[in-house]
Amino acid sequence: MKIVVFDNLEEISKEAFKLVFEQIKKKKNTSLGLATGSSPIGLYKLMIEAYRKNKLDFSEVSTYNLDEYIGVPKENKNSYWYFMNENLFHHINIKEENCHIPNANSSNILEECLNYDKMIEEIGGVDIQILGIGRNGHIGFNEPGSSFKSKTWIVDLKRETIEDNARFFKNKSLVPTKAITMGISTIMSAKKIILLAYGEKKQEAIRKMTYGEITEKVPASVLQMHNNVTILVDKEAAKLIE
Ligand code: GLP
């Protein structure tokens, strides 16, 4: 596990971009696992900028998003489908059919989960998986207690996650309580993992993920067992490990 500490999110985004840029330059048909949340937005902005400056071509790139809320229609501005289109897909030359997000509106969600995992298995895991981390140590939407063996599945969100997500919704009662998420073993099948985190609120999660016990109580601690993980954090988030 490589941990790099930066002054701010802007510097984290630049470093993450550098790694993604090198990967796509090396392999045109790179597969990227993508995350939502505030942490990767700066990275996505730099990817858009590189495309506009003709420095990156996404025509052969494919993407696989980590998760999606259940009960939020695709077109709703709080869906992760909407988030990805707004923050990335609509601004680069990626093919629509190459952008994969779990379909939480499927009439057969269980089958959707199986197919989503199968798709990722067939490509042998994504080349780079971008991750954020929840305050309680969740990755994707794999909450504390999730099995390290889990594959794409349906999860109940914990109270703290619902609280953290409430800032995006008009009213707390509208915040989803369920989601589809890549499982922990799906995430671990990535060839390389880059986790981005910033701010004081993530301090405890970062400490437990990096130097804590490897336990299902802290889903991100599983990353200690992956052989190619880079953690990019700011000074605030790194305070308990420096
Ligand atoms: C949500 C997403 C996670 C993300 C987390 C952190 O829970 N499902 O994938 O890592 O938010 O978000 P932020 O980057 O805004 O702190």
Side-chain angles (χ1 to χ4, degrees):
M1 187 179 259
K2 185 177 162 194
I3 308 167
V4 197
V5 182
F6 296 89
D7 280 343
N8 50 47
L9 180 59
E10 200 185 329
E11 298 302 315
I12 293 175
S13 307
K14 280 188 197 158
E15 181 62 21
F17 171 72
K18 203 177 110 199
L19 300 172
V20 170
F21 180 86
E22 282 164 5
Q23 170 65 36
I24 299 177
K25 282 290 172 196
K26 199 168 68 189
K27 185 180 168 205
K28 279 192 88 160
N29 62 347
T30 284
S31 51
L32 294 175
L34 297 180
T36 53
S38 54
S39 309
I41 291 183
L43 160 66
Y44 298 156
K45 285 203 171 113
L46 293 172
M47 289 164 71
I48 295 169
E49 192 183 311
Y51 164 68
R52 288 194 176 140
K53 290 185 176 160
N54 273 326
K55 289 186 179 153
L56 267 190
D57 172 21
F58 293 91
S59 60
E60 290 181 37
V61 170
S62 57
T63 64
Y64 298 83
N65 261 80
L66 280 168
D67 44 17
E68 178 62 286
Y69 288 128
I70 292 180
V72 178
K74 261 169 118 178
E75 299 72 20
N76 183 297
K77 74 172 182 37
N78 283 310
S79 79
Y80 285 170
W81 185 83
Y82 189 95
F83 176 100
M84 289 311 301
N85 283 325
E86 283 295 300
N87 288 295
L88 186 64
F89 300 153
H90 281 172
H91 309 288
I92 56 175
N93 67 332
I94 195 160
K95 293 190 182 114
E96 203 181 329
E97 65 267 29
N98 288 344
C99 301
H100 309 282
I101 301 181
N103 178 9
N105 292 300
S106 158
S107 55
N108 190 341
I109 295 200
L110 281 179
E111 194 178 286
E112 171 68 20
C113 292
L114 286 173
N115 290 340
Y116 202 74
D117 233 82
K118 204 166 140 221
M119 203 170 50
I120 295 170
E121 221 175 281
E122 273 167 12
I123 59 163
V126 296
D127 291 312
I128 292 188
Q129 175 67 55
I130 303 295
L131 286 184
I133 184 168
R135 191 158 52 106
N136 61 8
H138 75 220
I139 46 176
F141 266 137
N142 295 285
E143 298 282 34
S146 301
S147 165
F148 284 169
K149 294 197 184 110
S150 55
K151 297 193 169 213
T152 301
W153 58 321
I154 300 165
V155 291
D156 290 311
L157 304 180
K158 297 268 190 211
R159 183 186 44 81
E160 55 271 31
T161 302
I162 296 172
E163 275 169 19
D164 286 347
N165 293 340
R167 63 198 150 122
F168 302 108
F169 294 82
K170 267 198 203 122
N171 174 328
K172 207 178 160 192
S173 68
L174 299 173
V175 190
T177 56
K178 280 183 183 292
I180 297 193
T181 182
M182 273 189 204
I184 294 187
S185 79
T186 321
I187 294 173
M188 289 292 278
S189 73
K191 297 180 186 93
K192 179 178 179 65
I193 296 179
I194 305 172
L195 185 141
L196 286 60
Y198 70 98
E200 196 188 341
K201 269 169 80 177
K202 303 286 171 76
Q203 282 176 0
E204 195 56 31
I206 297 297
R207 185 187 66 77
K208 288 185 178 159
M209 165 179 72
T210 50
Y211 294 106
E213 182 197 346
I214 301 175
T215 164
E216 290 177 349
K217 289 185 202 148
V218 183
S221 67
V222 75
L223 300 178
Q224 293 179 39
M225 297 196 285
H226 193 284
N227 62 11
N228 193 346
V229 178
T230 302
I231 311 284
L232 307 176
V233 283
D234 77 343
K235 289 185 293 199
E236 279 300 309
K239 215 156 225 163
L240 304 179
I241 57 169
E242 272 188 311

